Amino acid sequence: MPSASGTNHGKLPFVVWVLAAGTFLMGTTEFVIAGLLPELAGDLGVGVSQAGLLITAFAIGMIIGGPTMAMATLRLPQRRTLILALAVFSLGHVVAAASTSFAIVLITRFVTALATGAFWAVGFVVATAAAGPGKSTRAVGVMMGGLTLANVIGVPIGSFAGQYVGWRGPFWALAALAGLAAVFIGRFIPPIEQGAQVSVRAEVRALRQGRLWLALTAAMLIMGGVMATYTYITPLLTDRAGIPAGAVPLVLIVFGTGALGGTAIGGRLGDRRPMATTITAAAATALSLLLLIPLSAGPVTATFLVFLMALTGFTVNPVVTSLAVRFAGNAPTLTSALTTSAYNTGIAAGSAIAGRAIDSSLGLTGPPLVGAVSALLTLLPLLALAVSRTPRTARVVSQRTASPHPQDDCKPLPAHRM
């Protein structure tokens, strides 16, 4: 990475923070729907559970778009890929904001998710390669911090705005901000030199490792557990906890604050004790979701458990993402995309199952129960990773991106410790 990226010892390169800004916008659009479900459902003439499909559709687009777009753009300059992804993202929001058809809005959600998948797949590779092996988990944590910061700032602001100007207002704002972000990335991310020759075969070959699939499974299950509950958090808070609709965005800020804190914790601890961090956090997530079932009737306990669910659940994310990219060695692009797909497979499955649960006799306690089961299942792949042998020579090297410290590429990573 050129020096313009702002790299120096002890600090992350500036490019990582630029990419985090992009993930902030994309995290906002993915999760703001949760705070706008009643408004969207009423305006588009569908039920709340059907409106929840807008989250599912976005997640499915990310599942497909991540690996597909990563391979389709493998030989394109990375900066161009990031700019094109933001341009498509912006256009999709313009179409959705101008439409009165639920079907069209659903389709645009899918298309913008494809662009988001491309941005995340390339962005994670650029960020980890720029940071170098010793700070890869921290770089992932910062980039994912853009996603979690969206829950602290972007989602609550979008929810407040949606209640006063309608759900289309946040969509128009996201379209404009994405266009500005494309210009910003074109200005501040320098052209990135190619490293080793791009090889689709090497990317596919990296998928043979069993440890990689364990990390991806953990990513899918933990995100599915948290988002199964978060997708239907608004009716849980208003109808069960008795929180006024106007105060729901404040609880979303609480959720986002917990998610941001969890991402920071995972980013700081993940390079030193990845397995102890993830196993403890996943178990705590399952416990908080189980407690949410009986204790969500009170506004204070419900708000606290929403915070705890986010804090512990998002602690797992940067660690398993960094592990997956490490396991891929010199071919991280497809693996990075599959990590994004794994998270969104969890979101799609979790929100879909939670939608069924909320329509069943379980009612509003259905989503937390679905989430608790998914978080408990996360322990299985994590425990399997803990007892598996991890090579000391796993490295974080982009096949397309020159390392900011080439001499560091020859240094082995420390073995993962409990």
Side-chain angles (χ1 to χ4, degrees):
M1 188 71 60
S3 59
S5 61
T7 308
N8 68 47
H9 297 291
K11 294 184 179 180
L12 290 174
F14 181 63
V15 65
V16 176
W17 301 96
V18 174
L19 292 168
T23 60
F24 169 81
L25 292 178
M26 294 177 174
T28 298
T29 199
E30 181 165 11
F31 301 126
V32 75
I33 298 295
L36 299 173
L37 275 185
E39 289 80 7
L40 271 161
D43 187 51
L44 298 175
V46 297
V48 171
S49 60
Q50 188 176 355
L53 292 175
L54 294 173
I55 294 177
T56 305
F58 194 94
I60 293 173
M62 289 281 283
I63 294 167
I64 298 172
T68 301
M69 299 306 295
M71 291 295 97
T73 62
L74 193 60
R75 296 180 184 273
L76 288 180
Q78 292 173 324
R79 182 173 67 174
R80 184 184 303 174
T81 300
L82 295 172
I83 293 172
L84 287 174
L86 283 167
V88 173
F89 180 90
S90 177
L91 181 60
H93 282 76
V94 169
V95 174
S99 176
T100 58
S101 167
F102 177 76
I104 291 177
V105 175
L106 194 66
I107 292 170
T108 59
R109 289 283 292 174
F110 178 80
V111 172
T112 54
L114 294 178
T116 301
F119 184 92
W120 281 31
V122 175
F124 276 130
V125 174
V126 173
T128 54
K135 294 179 287 186
S136 61
T137 303
R138 187 180 166 198
V140 170
V142 168
M143 205 179 148
M144 296 186 76
L147 171 66
T148 51
L149 189 62
N151 287 294
V152 179
I153 299 175
V155 172
I157 290 177
S159 298
F160 273 123
Q163 290 178 8
Y164 288 101
V165 303
W167 66 269
R168 300 175 195 277
F171 273 61
W172 285 114
L174 284 165
L177 291 172
L180 288 174
V183 174
F184 191 84
I185 282 180
R187 169 66 178 83
F188 287 99
I189 291 187
I192 299 171
E193 299 176 4
Q194 297 236 349
Q197 186 175 358
V198 177
S199 171
V200 175
R201 183 177 299 177
E203 294 286 341
V204 175
R205 216 171 23 236
L207 304 183
R208 295 177 181 176
Q209 296 193 64
R211 293 187 313 274
L212 170 62
W213 292 101
L214 289 173
L216 293 176
T217 301
M220 176 188 69
L221 289 170
I222 194 64
M223 185 59 77
V226 173
M227 293 309 299
T229 304
Y230 185 76
T231 298
Y232 297 99
I233 197 68
T234 298
L236 179 73
L237 295 173
T238 56
D239 298 346
R240 182 167 170 81
I243 296 174
V248 168
L250 298 177
V251 183
L252 298 183
I253 293 176
V254 171
F255 175 89
T257 302
L260 187 62
T263 301
I265 292 170
R268 288 288 180 179
L269 299 180
D271 282 318
R272 293 186 304 237
R273 294 186 175 274
M275 301 320 306
T277 301
T278 52
I279 290 171
T280 302
T285 304
L287 178 61
S288 65
L289 287 165
L290 283 171
L291 290 174
L292 192 59
I293 297 172
L295 299 180
S296 58
V300 175
T301 53
T303 301
F304 172 74
L305 289 170
V306 166
F307 169 80
L308 188 61
M309 167 187 76
L311 179 72
T312 56
F314 277 77
T315 296
V316 179
N317 295 349
V319 186
V320 292
T321 299
S322 182
L323 287 175
V325 175
R326 289 182 189 185
F327 295 152
N330 291 340
T333 304
L334 182 56
T335 297
S336 175
L338 287 173
T339 303
T340 303
S341 295
Y343 284 125
N344 284 277
T345 298
I347 294 172
S351 61
I353 297 171
R356 297 261 183 167
I358 203 171
D359 287 335
S360 72
S361 59
L362 294 171
L364 294 172
T365 63
L369 179 60
V370 172
V373 172
S374 186
L376 280 172
L377 291 174
T378 306
L379 293 172
L380 297 179
L382 291 177
L383 290 170
L385 272 175
V387 299
S388 68
R389 179 183 178 187
T390 305
R392 292 176 173 268
T393 56
R395 295 181 298 161
V396 181
V397 182
S398 169
Q399 82 281 13
R400 296 197 290 166
T401 306
S403 171
H405 303 296
Q407 69 274 16
D408 290 343
D409 289 344
C410 297
K411 297 178 181 179
L413 288 171
H416 303 318
R417 296 175 296 167
M418 280 294 288

